[in-house]
Amino acid sequence: MHIAWLGKKSPFCGNVTYSREITNALLDRGYRVTFLHFAQPQEAEEEAHPESAEVPLPFLFKSQILTIPSLKSRKLLTNALRRLKPDIVHASLTLSPLDFRLPEICAELGLPLVATFHPAFDRKVRSITSGTQHLTYQLYAPCLANYDRVIVFSDLQRDLLNKLGVPDDRLVVIPNGVDTQRYAPGPSAAKVELGAERLFVYQGRLSPEKNVESLLKGWRQAEMGPTCQLAIMGSGPLENSLKLFYDDDNILWLGYVSDVQRRIDLLRGADGFILPSFVEGLSLSLLEAMACGTACVATDAGADGEVLANGAGIVLDPQRVAVQLQTILPLLRDHPEIAQLLGRKARERVLSRYTLSANISALERLYDTVTAPSAVALGL
């Protein structure tokens, strides 16, 4: 089967990781994958699969959140799909105006079309951030109803889109998954390297919806001491202002860490992983930390609370992150046996529900269903 994958390769975000992991796994299973993405032709490829093929699409603007294609991109995409003649098009939606034209383009070419819908959400409208994300869902729902299938990461996300008018038979829940062979407990030099007796880690964008300032406030108020280090992995629009106001000696600003093995080393060595987001989808960073056997603390945003439910981690209220961390952080610092127990339970949860292998198998079944002759004839 030939899959035309439309997604992101830069700048780094969860969508980039998702596209890389899924397409590489599909290639490893023998599928032919052509990756169409917004890029300048001269952009260097990182971590390319040896059998991957690429088609760059021109753009006017590209960020972690939004992509604005050039006026020529639709024509170039249409011509590329006409030339490639794939069996199916899978769009890992990049929040771009082109997302709304894809059903029309694929219908014109007679190609089945599947989407993965990534935008973060909260099951309750509790803040301006979650309200804005809810508007994104409202904007996209009429368009998503025209895709053959739409992949979402949790029942909560499916129910929200269903209420907004996307037919239930178009929605498929396939949770994110991680490579549990690669992301696994193991030796780590991170604490020695960073000079920490206890190490806590955040990994993600430094942007308003991630609520990192509440984590930093909670860390400072918990008075963790000089032997405890909080490592911040990531970059984003709030990076400079956060670094200015939180220049404490025991807060380490590592920036975006491009080396996957170094990220794994930091996660393996951590006594706790903290994700304080106002809104989420199903965080790959959280699943990676869980797979590494790290005790995890995350807000009940998106599907993350569901992932950590029933003892797999500690779930926070997005509106009370700083206050709750004042109690939780010293507990994990002073009782390493609790952190170790939570880490074991976190890995068990990933192994039972969130492996990349299971994700790809579910995706294969979906592709077979959508490309079946009867489905194509019925336009399903």
Side-chain angles (χ1 to χ4, degrees), residues 102-113:
L102 277 173
E104 178 185 337
I105 292 170
C106 289
E108 176 186 330
L109 298 175
L111 298 174
L113 175 61

Side-chain angles (χ1 to χ4, degrees), residues 66-197:
L66 175 68
T67 303
I68 300 178
S70 75
L71 296 176
K72 299 186 297 182
S73 62
R74 181 188 175 186
K75 182 178 180 181
L76 291 172
L77 173 61
T78 302
N79 290 341
L81 292 175
R82 184 178 286 116
R83 182 182 73 254
L84 291 166
K85 297 182 175 62
D87 296 294
I88 192 168
V89 177
H90 188 151
S92 182
L93 295 180
T94 58
L95 295 191
S96 157
L98 198 57
D99 298 343
F100 297 86
R101 309 306 296 271
L102 277 173
E104 178 185 337
I105 292 170
C106 289
E108 176 186 330
L109 298 175
L111 298 174
L113 175 61
V114 170
T116 300
F117 191 57
H118 292 270
F121 69 101
D122 192 1
R123 56 191 176 84
K124 300 177 183 178
V125 179
R126 299 185 257 207
S127 65
I128 293 175
T129 303
S130 58
T132 301
Q133 291 297 335
H134 192 74
L135 289 174
T136 301
Y137 275 67
Q138 290 177 312
L139 176 66
Y140 262 82
C143 165
L144 295 177
N146 294 318
Y147 282 72
D148 294 309
R149 294 291 189 279
V150 178
I151 296 169
V152 293
F153 301 134
S154 72
D155 292 334
L156 290 171
Q157 196 180 8
R158 180 190 60 193
D159 292 345
L160 175 57
L161 285 172
N162 193 219
K163 289 176 182 176
L164 293 172
V166 182
D168 191 59
D169 61 0
R170 299 294 172 101
L171 296 167
V172 180
V173 177
I174 302 180
N176 271 336
V178 292
D179 182 346
T180 53
Q181 303 269 328
R182 190 178 198 185
Y183 292 90
S188 170
K191 285 183 179 177
V192 173
E193 175 194 339
L194 300 176
E197 289 185 16

Side-chain angles (χ1 to χ4, degrees), residues 163-282:
K163 289 176 182 176
L164 293 172
V166 182
D168 191 59
D169 61 0
R170 299 294 172 101
L171 296 167
V172 180
V173 177
I174 302 180
N176 271 336
V178 292
D179 182 346
T180 53
Q181 303 269 328
R182 190 178 198 185
Y183 292 90
S188 170
K191 285 183 179 177
V192 173
E193 175 194 339
L194 300 176
E197 289 185 16
R198 294 282 184 269
L199 177 64
F200 296 83
V201 170
Y202 165 82
Q203 178 179 249
R205 291 193 306 277
L206 301 180
S207 52
E209 73 276 7
K210 293 297 184 179
N211 195 26
V212 178
E213 186 169 11
S214 290
L215 162 58
L216 296 168
K217 286 180 180 176
W219 176 266
R220 181 178 282 177
Q221 292 165 3
E223 299 181 348
M224 296 293 283
T227 62
C228 294
Q229 300 283 352
L230 172 63
I232 306 293
M233 284 195 285
S235 61
L238 299 183
E239 182 173 4
N240 290 335
S241 61
L242 290 174
K243 288 169 72 173
L244 178 64
F245 288 104
Y246 294 92
D247 61 348
D248 308 39
D249 291 339
N250 62 356
I251 298 176
L252 306 174
W253 298 92
L254 303 182
Y256 166 55
V257 179
S258 60
D259 186 320
V260 175
Q261 194 54 49
R262 174 159 165 73
R263 294 204 301 268
I264 292 173
D265 192 52
L266 287 161
L267 294 174
R268 284 174 172 172
D271 296 280
F273 174 87
I274 306 149
L275 191 62
S277 307
F278 283 126
V279 292
E280 276 290 347
L282 173 48

